Amino acid sequence: MGLWYFFKGTKTKDSRAFCAARKGKYFTKKEVESWASQEWAGKNAATTKATIFTLVGGHGCKDDLIPVSKELYDKFNK
């Protein structure tokens, strides 16, 4: 697993606030892992620091976390 991620997804009227706040942004692995301790509507009960990378926003989530290079992360997090 990489150390930097892009939250890929399209905002829709049905997007959860959790997902909408992250779409199109870049995050460190530590930031992504920290989300597992948060609560939100639709969160999958199996969400942990390890599973957040595949379960992302929870039940029915269509978003993805895409590993990216440090250079790409740095470029968009100035």
Side-chain angles (χ1 to χ4, degrees), residues 1-2 8-9 13-15 19-20 24 30 32-33 35 40 45-46 55-56 60-61 66 70:
M1 237 185 305
K8 180 180 176 272
K13 64 180 177 139
D14 297 333
S15 291
C19 297
K30 189 173 182 176
V32 173
E33 290 174 336
W35 301 342
W40 65 89
L55 297 177
V56 193
C61 182
I66 309 297
K70 180 170 184 351

Side-chain angles (χ1 to χ4, degrees), residues 50-69:
T51 63
I52 187 76
F53 294 92
T54 54
L55 297 177
V56 193
H59 300 287
C61 182
K62 297 178 181 106
D63 301 320
D64 293 301
L65 280 168
I66 309 297
V68 297
S69 67

Side-chain angles (χ1 to χ4, degrees), residues 5-65:
Y5 294 86
F6 176 69
F7 198 103
K8 180 180 176 272
T10 303
K11 283 187 184 179
T12 66
K13 64 180 177 139
D14 297 333
S15 291
R16 293 183 180 107
F18 173 87
C19 297
R22 291 164 175 78
K23 290 177 195 273
K25 296 181 182 175
Y26 293 79
F27 300 93
T28 64
K29 179 180 180 182
K30 189 173 182 176
E31 288 173 314
V32 173
E33 290 174 336
S34 75
W35 301 342
S37 63
Q38 298 177 13
E39 294 299 323
W40 65 89
K43 180 180 178 183
N44 187 309
T47 302
T48 66
K49 284 173 47 173
T51 63
I52 187 76
F53 294 92
T54 54
L55 297 177
V56 193
H59 300 287
C61 182
K62 297 178 181 106
D63 301 320
D64 293 301
L65 280 168

